[in-house]
Amino acid sequence: MAEITLVEAVALAHARAMEDDPKVLVLGEDVGVNGGVFRATLGLLERFGAERVYDTPISEAMIPGLCVGLAARGFRPVAEIQFMGFLYPALDQMVNHAARMRTRTRGRLSCPMVLRAPYGGGVHAPEHHSESTEAMFAHAPGLRVVVPSSPQRAYGLLLAAIRDPDPVLFLEPKRLYRAVRDEVADDGRALPLDRCIVLREGDDVTVVTWGAMVRECLEAGAQLAEQGVAAELIDLATLKPLDFATVQASVERTGRCVIVHEAPITAGFGAEVAARLADAAIFSLRAPIKRVAAPDIVPPLPRLEQHFMPTTARIVDTVRELMRYT
């Protein structure tokens, strides 16, 4: 079993899905000849040909629109938007058409498409290349939002997303593209969608996160363990629909919760998790729910990124603050 990076796992899942189902197509800017801006579709054009791998014009409004038409006619398109900051023109097609296809046609049609996008900061890129606007899409009924945090999860969740009968926004934390390696078996086995993943067990505090922030939270968990604090770490993996039952059960046991994300704090998805906990688990809480997130500013230039994004130290300090409540 080979050890591969997250971006290699994405490419592997693409190839497996296309091998298993001739209706799976890949399209986007530079996905064919160049293999994608981060090489997540490398080798697909040579292996599957130009009838199944399309280099599109530079039009982020057209790409998902083309996917909606293909999906309505029985194909399973997988499209790449080069950076999450370029997704704004795609909102119309994703929210008004892809997410509503099943309801609008009273179940006669579905929209089995995947829109992939690298997201998040930490790679010293300009602001439109460092966005984290997942909450914007999680707000849309009918649209699934999935965020892998490791090569194994990228492979299994992307396969599940491609096989799903409804539209999926698949957000890939580009800071992790080549930062970690996992052993990934190319066995075609999908991971279940709509399920949180408990990465670390603990009884003192629940830490909830997703995407690239899993890395900092794992580091924080290790540091806290040395200080005698047992933190349970939950990777949401699928933001919408949210597996809230797993989060609630953990917080009811620990009595404390810290939510970590690199999107700006106001109306970030962490606010949704906090609101649900306040509604369903308030009598189990021993301390206030805390969020560790970015400030409400546009992603800054590279020299200021370390002041913008949540750090391991901030997570540890926040947990220690909660531990003072008894």
Side-chain angles (χ1 to χ4, degrees):
M1 191 184 304
E3 279 198 353
I4 60 175
T5 63
L6 194 152
V7 74
E8 289 171 334
V10 170
L12 196 65
H14 272 116
R16 168 59 65 175
M18 296 180 78
E19 187 72 37
D20 291 347
D21 186 350
K23 294 293 187 180
V24 176
L25 311 175
V26 170
L27 58 145
E29 299 163 13
D30 300 321
V31 300
V33 174
N34 289 334
V37 65
F38 289 101
R39 306 299 182 258
T41 54
L42 192 64
L44 297 182
L45 178 62
E46 293 78 8
R47 182 171 175 181
F48 297 100
E51 292 185 353
R52 296 182 66 190
V53 182
Y54 303 91
D55 279 328
T56 67
I58 301 175
S59 175
E60 284 79 13
M62 177 274 292
I63 292 169
L66 179 58
C67 288
V68 170
L70 287 166
R73 301 307 299 169
F75 292 95
R76 290 183 176 270
V78 184
E80 177 179 292
I81 301 293
Q82 289 188 340
F83 293 92
M84 191 175 196
F86 302 162
L87 271 174
Y88 301 113
L91 267 171
D92 179 28
Q93 290 292 339
M94 294 302 292
V95 175
N96 283 327
H97 301 292
R100 302 182 185 212
M101 184 67 71
R102 183 180 293 278
T103 302
R104 179 176 292 148
T105 64
R106 298 183 181 181
R108 287 176 293 153
L109 295 175
S110 61
C111 193
M113 62 168 285
V114 177
L115 191 65
R116 296 179 38 252
Y119 92 107
V123 295
H124 306 302
E127 39 103 357
H128 271 106
H129 300 67
S130 303
E131 304 267 289
S132 298
T133 54
E134 59 269 28
M136 184 182 303
F137 291 88
H139 186 69
L143 184 61
R144 197 173 247 104
V145 181
V146 178
V147 188
S149 60
S150 75
Q152 287 181 347
R153 292 186 278 280
Y155 178 84
L157 291 172
L158 182 54
L159 284 177
I162 294 171
R163 295 167 185 170
D164 195 80
D166 291 300
V168 178
L169 179 66
F170 195 84
L171 299 176
E172 298 158 11
K174 57 181 175 290
R175 185 159 58 93
L176 299 185
Y177 264 156
R178 293 174 174 85
V180 293
R181 288 181 174 270
D182 274 347
E183 288 189 348
V184 179
D186 186 17
D187 54 10
R189 187 173 300 175
L191 289 175
L193 298 173
D194 313 341
R195 295 289 184 273
C196 296
I197 303 168
V198 179
L199 298 180
R200 184 187 184 100
E201 295 184 349
D203 295 321
D204 293 325
V205 61
T206 301
V207 179
V208 177
T209 193
W210 56 91
M213 280 293 116
V214 164
R215 189 177 183 183
E216 279 74 16
C217 289
L218 283 170
E219 293 171 354
Q223 291 184 22
L224 289 164
E226 294 175 355
Q227 301 169 22
V229 178
E232 180 148 294
L233 175 57
I234 297 178
D235 175 5
L236 294 187
T238 301
L239 304 188
K240 177 78 174 290
L242 174 64
D243 174 18
F244 179 68
T246 298
V247 177
Q248 180 181 350
S250 176
V251 173
E252 286 178 344
R253 189 179 68 258
T254 66
R256 303 176 181 88
C257 184
V258 175
I259 305 162
V260 183
H261 59 73
E262 63 178 271
I265 192 166
T266 298
F269 193 73
E272 173 65 22
V273 179
R276 293 198 193 189
L277 287 171
D279 180 56
I282 189 168
F283 295 112
S284 299
L285 292 173
R286 302 169 63 185
I289 301 166
K290 292 289 186 179
R291 289 175 289 161
V292 179
D296 290 332
I297 61 172
V298 172
L301 294 174
R303 287 187 180 182
L304 294 176
E305 271 192 327
Q306 71 271 25
H307 303 291
F308 172 77
M309 299 176 63
T311 62
T312 300
R314 282 182 60 196
I315 299 165
V316 170
D317 289 345
T318 303
V319 170
R320 286 168 59 88
E321 178 187 346
L322 290 191
M323 295 306 298
R324 296 191 183 103
Y325 290 85
T326 58

